[in-house]
Amino acid sequence: KLTRLYTQNIDGLDYQTNIPRDKIVPVHGSIGTVACEACGHPCDTDEFCQLVQSNIKDIYNQDDAAPQESSPIRCQACNKPTVKP
């Protein structure tokens, strides 16, 4: 019986299996889920990607629509700048 899956993968593929989410422990984080590190409030992955595009500057100068300066991505629940994959 599987009680816990500890994974070093950050690609989120573990979340695309039949393993229950509460059994998966991403040791180095994961891009499979996004949440506030302060309060745990989840953030939709697509919404987070849009926030990254609109809030984070493009250090490689590939996106003309990117902001000139980065601004924090704030949690919708607690308003802290601690939302991360």
Side-chain angles (χ1 to χ4, degrees):
K1 176 181 175 185
L2 180 67
T3 57
R4 191 84 55 230
L5 170 67
Y6 293 92
T7 178
Q8 295 185 55
N9 297 331
I10 63 166
D11 56 16
L13 291 177
D14 301 304
Y15 293 101
Q16 296 179 24
T17 65
N18 290 328
I19 299 170
R21 287 182 174 263
D22 63 334
K23 304 262 188 230
I24 301 172
V25 179
V27 179
H28 300 296
S30 171
I31 60 172
T33 60
V34 180
C36 176
E37 289 188 334
C39 73
H41 183 76
C43 179
D44 178 73
T45 303
D46 291 333
E47 179 183 343
F48 179 74
C49 289
Q50 290 174 355
L51 289 168
V52 168
Q53 284 185 315
S54 63
N55 289 40
I56 307 301
K57 70 179 179 178
D58 175 15
I59 61 172
Y60 299 108
N61 297 317
Q62 299 293 311
D63 184 0
D64 293 333
Q68 294 296 312
E69 294 296 323
S70 294
S71 60
I73 297 174
R74 298 193 168 272
C75 175
Q76 292 178 349
C78 71
N79 201 38
K80 292 183 180 176
T82 51
V83 178
K84 296 183 179 179

